[in-house]
Amino acid sequence: MPRPNPSATHPDRESAQWATQHVVTTNEQLTPRRLVRPTGTHLAAEAAWPSLFSDGPAPRLLDLAVKAQESKGELSLDDEIRRYIRTVRGNWITNWNCSVYAASGVLEFTADSVERGEGLAHFPPEFQKKVERAAGDVNPAEYLRMLAEIVRILDREPSPEYDELPMSGWEFQLAFPHLFGFDAILMDEGDQEFADTVRSAVTNEHPYCAERAAAYTTEAQRALVLFPGPDGLRPRLYWATRDRLQELIATVNEHMQREHS
């Protein structure tokens, strides 16, 4: 069986090189370390580091912490975490795959790993940088535990409504990725009528257009429910008023009924 390439999914060259070397070193030391340790649990956890700390909840939450830390008071860490929680809760697949409670557990595990490893030296370089930027002068393990506790405490609260805590830019792009992408299509096809542009975007995928059609109408309907006023998503997308979102839904439905029913 071919050996997996642990560096294949790493976003930066430095972390990719670290991941490859770390897993190779771990495999080479497998036998002697199992003789020293009563169980292989810690070793198994270390072997999972390349993926656990290059993607997933720990880097995501640290990204938000760094953003809040470096905003010079413009962003609240608590509010950014509330947005994270609202995003996870708002998607059944995301919540099923990694709940907020599980995310806080990953942070706790990370703190324990930092202490056992006597610092951040054994973590991927990009992850080290995120922890250092977020923690500042605070001990990294203590900071990670504090962040985990904040996540747990805020997870006990109900998710705030959007008029109470406005949707941020990163949150918007996660909630409405296809409508955000449609913005570029509109700019490219600016001379066409809106309904014609919608029709073209769907029929260009025909007969395999069901997935895109479902994504457009699902996001448009969600926007109408979450932002029911006449402006709809206009504060974020100049074209996405209530009328235009309804027109998008009607145009897609008309195509599906005509071509696929």
Side-chain angles (χ1 to χ4, degrees):
M1 178 181 293
R3 303 177 83 179
N5 178 5
S7 69
T9 59
H10 285 266
D12 62 283
R13 189 180 191 86
E14 194 177 11
S15 290
Q17 291 173 340
W18 174 91
T20 301
Q21 185 57 47
H22 185 78
V23 173
V24 168
T25 303
T26 300
N27 289 338
E28 288 174 349
Q29 296 176 353
L30 180 61
T31 301
R33 291 179 70 178
R34 279 197 183 279
L35 292 175
V36 173
R37 297 182 185 279
T39 71
T41 304
H42 184 65
L43 180 62
E46 287 184 356
W49 281 5
S51 56
L52 185 60
F53 299 118
S54 294
D55 200 0
R60 297 288 178 270
L61 285 161
L62 281 169
D63 283 338
L64 296 178
V66 168
K67 199 178 208 178
Q69 184 84 346
E70 298 180 352
S71 71
K72 297 180 180 178
E74 291 184 13
L75 293 174
S76 158
L77 175 59
D78 284 7
D79 283 348
E80 288 298 280
I81 293 176
R82 287 186 179 99
R83 290 184 173 105
Y84 170 86
I85 294 169
R86 182 168 65 186
T87 299
V88 173
R89 287 177 180 171
N91 187 301
W92 285 101
I93 296 174
T94 302
N95 197 49
W96 172 81
N97 189 50
C98 185
S99 67
V100 175
Y101 185 76
S104 69
V106 172
L107 290 173
E108 286 279 7
F109 168 77
T110 308
D112 290 344
S113 300
V114 170
E115 281 189 342
R116 282 199 303 263
E118 298 180 352
L120 294 166
H122 299 294
F123 288 79
E126 191 63 26
F127 187 80
Q128 291 181 42
K129 293 174 188 174
K130 290 181 181 182
V131 175
E132 289 166 354
R133 287 170 64 191
D137 296 332
V138 179
N139 175 277
E142 291 178 10
Y143 180 83
L144 289 163
R145 285 205 178 87
M146 178 196 72
L147 189 60
E149 183 64 16
I150 292 172
V151 171
R152 275 196 297 271
I153 290 171
L154 295 178
D155 190 33
R156 299 183 190 120
E157 300 177 357
S159 294
E161 299 293 337
Y162 292 106
D163 56 356
E164 179 185 354
L165 181 64
M167 181 177 280
S168 67
W170 66 264
E171 192 180 8
F172 171 80
Q173 290 187 37
L174 289 174
F176 302 105
H178 290 87
L179 293 184
F180 183 75
F182 188 67
D183 192 56
I185 297 175
L186 280 175
M187 287 190 285
D188 290 341
E189 306 291 340
D191 295 336
Q192 286 189 350
E193 293 292 328
F194 180 78
D196 291 335
T197 304
V198 174
R199 200 171 290 110
S200 295
V202 176
T203 55
N204 285 344
E205 301 289 325
H206 186 76
Y208 309 106
C209 50
E211 184 173 346
R212 175 171 289 192
Y216 282 154
T217 53
T218 299
E219 289 182 16
Q221 187 60 56
R222 187 179 185 212
L224 290 171
V225 172
L226 294 179
F227 306 97
D231 283 345
L233 290 177
R234 191 172 185 177
R236 291 286 179 186
L237 288 175
Y238 74 94
W239 58 269
T241 62
R242 179 175 60 196
D243 290 344
R244 280 289 173 83
L245 291 170
Q246 289 173 335
E247 187 177 2
L248 183 149
I249 293 170
T251 303
V252 171
N253 286 345
E254 185 271 332
H255 166 79
M256 298 303 293
Q257 290 167 7
R258 185 182 69 250
E259 301 292 341
H260 298 274
S261 62

